[in-house]
């Protein structure tokens, strides 16, 4: 299909409460929305790298400029038949995965709409309902965390993820494990530690965690392999895997036992599918992570999570957990205990609410032929 117009929006979305993790604290989420138009049809994509380059080297205002000035013009007027075609057109620009993802995801939404089928089926999903977990950022007190975890356990969540960072570390895992001896838990360090913290990781090894997510530097594979050799608990890589090439190296180096795939971090759904298939072939299980996207980005993560190698409950949360009023419609809601169902409408099933996008918009560009 030929792309005639690309609209790019930078929006700031207020959170119900600050999101606190190893990479830093977020009071609001900055997200880039892209609409691509082909004839009478349009598709939407969303990429959420956060407002500052603290999770990865990319940040929302940079992504907005990158898409508007460099990437969108590369796609105009071309006949693009597949996600691989689109990625090839973007390939002169190195890296910039979140920026590429916004266009890639909009293309997939448009492509599914063109085929009049739900995105989860276009991507190759087998069943529309996926399992999801609960996750909790850094709290003020351990008592507050225990109350939150208890709420999640009572609601029937199949697993709970805990953000973990210096000052909010071993003591929280010990408290949670002793309060809930049978719970499935894992921690996410968001790149805050080094190999010099080996003794702490050895102590964690006795806590029967399902995995330890991204303990070491954001782009590292070698040190993770060294740490994995010392631990029984599997490592899960998030930040370090930005492409299929990095996934292949992580598998070859035995840097991890799991990969958390986020479409934004890896340049979009095209690359997410490739990493999924690579992991399946290598016998490495995956799950889908999130970046606190609006319901549009979350629906695209949901469609991806319907693929068969996503075997651990995914990080897709009901909209109300983060937002008083989600920028996109419809909001994400649970369809059952610890599960969410992807809609059967054409495309990903969600798009920005025009009024709320207008109110949250900081900058916009329209790129046309
Ligand atoms: Mg993570």
């Amino acid at each position: 299909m030929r792309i005639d117009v690309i609209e790019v929006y930078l929006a700031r979305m207020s959170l119900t409460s600050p999101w606190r993790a190893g990479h830093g604290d977020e009071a609001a989420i900055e997200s880039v929305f892209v609409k691509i138009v082909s004839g009478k049809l349009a598709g939407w994509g969303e990429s959420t790298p956060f407002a500052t380059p603290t999770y990865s080297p990319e940040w929302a205002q940079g992504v907005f400029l990158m898409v508007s000035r460099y990437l969108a013009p590369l796609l105009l007027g071309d006949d693009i038949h597949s996600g691989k075609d689109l990625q090839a057109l973007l390939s002169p620009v190195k890296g910039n995965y979140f920026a590429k993802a916004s266009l890639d995801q909009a293309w997939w939404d448009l492509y599914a709409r063109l085929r009049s089928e739900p995105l989860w089926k276009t991507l190759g999903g087998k069943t529309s309902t996926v399992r999801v977990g609960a996750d909790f950022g850094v709290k003020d007190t351990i008592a507050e965390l225990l109350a939150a975890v208890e709420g999640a356990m009572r609601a029937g969540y199949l697993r709970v993820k805990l953000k973990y960072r210096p000052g909010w570390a071993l003591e929280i895992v010990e408290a949670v494990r002793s309060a809930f001896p049978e719970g499935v838990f894992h921690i996410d360090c968001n790149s805050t530690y080094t190999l010099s913290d080996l003794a702490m990781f050895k102590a964690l090894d006795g806590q029967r965690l399902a995995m330890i997510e991204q303990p070491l530097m954001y782009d590292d594979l070698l040190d993770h392999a060294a740490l994995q050799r010392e631990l029984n608990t599997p490592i899960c890589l998030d930040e370090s895997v930005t492409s299929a090439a990095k996934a292949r190296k992580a598998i070859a180096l035995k840097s991890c036992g799991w990969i958390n795939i986020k479409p934004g971090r890896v340049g979009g759904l095209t690359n997410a599918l490739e990493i999924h298939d690579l992991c399946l072939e290598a016998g490495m299980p995956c799950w889908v992570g999130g970046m606190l996207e609006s319901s549009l980005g979350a629906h695209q993560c949901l469609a991806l999570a319907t693929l068969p190698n996503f075997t651990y409950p995914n990080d897709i949360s009901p909209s109300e957990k983060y937002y008083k009023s989600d920028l996109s419609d419809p909001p994400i809601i649970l369809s059952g205990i610890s599960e969410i169902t992807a809609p059967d409408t054409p495309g990903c099933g969600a798009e920005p609410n025009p009024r709320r996008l207008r109110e949250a918009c900081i900058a916009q560009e329209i790129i046309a032929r």
Side-chain angles (χ1 to χ4, degrees):
M1 72 198 126
R2 200 194 58 195
I3 297 179
D4 304 314
V5 181
I6 299 178
E7 299 175 17
V8 192
Y9 301 87
L10 172 63
R12 187 170 170 83
M13 311 185 291
S14 297
L15 291 166
T16 50
S17 59
W19 181 240
R20 296 153 68 190
H23 68 273
D25 297 354
E26 311 291 333
I29 296 297
E30 288 192 8
S31 203
V32 174
F33 293 84
V34 166
K35 180 184 186 182
I36 63 178
V37 180
S38 175
K40 289 191 164 73
L41 275 180
W44 281 93
E46 178 183 8
S47 185
T48 311
F50 293 153
T52 55
T54 46
Y55 165 82
S56 83
E58 291 183 82
W59 58 304
Q61 301 214 20
V63 164
F64 173 77
L65 287 175
M66 173 54 65
V67 174
S68 311
R69 292 206 188 156
Y70 293 103
L71 296 176
L74 294 173
L75 302 182
L76 285 181
D78 270 297
D79 253 330
I80 302 174
H81 300 290
S82 68
K84 293 231 185 270
D85 278 358
L86 177 133
Q87 291 288 336
L89 288 168
L90 300 180
S91 65
V93 172
K94 305 294 182 288
N96 287 282
Y97 304 104
F98 278 98
K100 289 177 179 175
S102 63
L103 292 159
D104 180 281
Q105 288 168 225
W107 182 87
W108 276 100
D109 184 45
L110 177 60
Y111 181 58
R113 288 177 194 233
L114 186 69
R115 292 165 59 107
S116 296
E117 67 181 7
L119 178 61
W120 67 270
K121 278 192 183 161
T122 310
L123 294 177
K126 297 288 176 249
T127 166
S128 60
T129 295
V130 309
R131 299 186 306 152
V132 298
D135 64 326
F136 297 108
V138 174
K139 306 273 187 199
D140 288 333
T141 64
I142 290 181
E144 207 183 313
L145 176 66
L146 289 175
V149 172
E150 192 183 353
M153 304 295 260
R154 226 183 291 125
Y157 275 101
L158 296 167
R159 63 88 171 151
V160 172
K161 160 170 159 174
L162 309 169
K163 290 293 190 181
Y164 189 95
R165 70 183 183 188
W168 188 255
L170 198 51
E171 61 279 10
I172 66 143
V173 175
E174 287 169 346
V176 167
R177 177 51 79 210
S178 104
F180 307 99
E182 302 309 321
V184 178
F185 299 106
H186 88 265
I187 58 165
D188 184 2
C189 308
N190 286 107
S191 320
T192 14
Y193 293 94
T194 68
L195 282 179
S196 67
D197 298 299
L198 182 60
M200 185 269 294
F201 287 115
K202 288 269 194 192
L204 272 176
D205 223 6
Q207 295 293 334
R208 294 180 290 115
L209 293 171
M211 63 191 80
I212 298 173
E213 190 178 339
Q214 195 70 33
L216 308 178
M217 199 171 162
Y218 75 94
D219 61 351
D220 170 77
L221 296 176
L222 272 182
D223 285 358
H224 280 100
L227 180 60
Q228 185 65 91
R229 284 195 293 275
E230 298 289 332
L231 301 179
N232 293 316
T233 311
I235 287 173
C236 171
L237 287 180
D238 175 347
E239 284 90 329
S240 286
V241 178
T242 48
S243 63
K246 287 289 286 283
R248 199 173 59 243
K249 288 171 192 169
I251 293 166
L253 290 166
K254 299 189 167 57
S255 306
C256 58
W258 289 86
I259 292 180
N260 162 350
I261 303 181
K262 296 175 177 173
R265 193 195 68 228
V266 303
L269 290 164
T270 305
N271 299 339
L273 291 174
E274 193 179 344
I275 296 170
H276 168 274
D277 293 351
L278 197 63
C279 289
L280 183 63
E281 213 171 280
M284 182 175 290
C286 305
W287 52 283
V288 175
M291 295 294 294
L292 282 67
E293 296 92 345
S294 81
S295 139
L296 167 65
H299 271 83
Q300 295 177 337
C301 290
L302 180 58
L304 177 66
T306 64
L307 271 78
N309 198 36
F310 293 114
T311 58
Y312 187 69
N314 304 282
D315 261 351
I316 304 167
S317 300
S319 296
E320 64 179 14
K321 182 176 176 211
Y322 301 118
Y323 299 108
K324 212 184 312 172
S325 178
D326 199 305
L327 189 145
S328 302
D329 289 324
I332 292 272
I333 52 169
L334 292 174
S335 55
I337 293 172
S338 207
E339 64 182 37
I340 298 176
T341 300
D344 270 329
T345 45
C348 75
E351 61 181 45
N353 173 287
R355 178 181 59 78
R356 290 196 290 275
L357 177 59
R358 211 166 40 243
E359 287 168 359
C361 186
I362 303 169
Q364 78 178 79
E365 288 282 351
I366 295 178
I367 297 103
R369 291 203 296 149

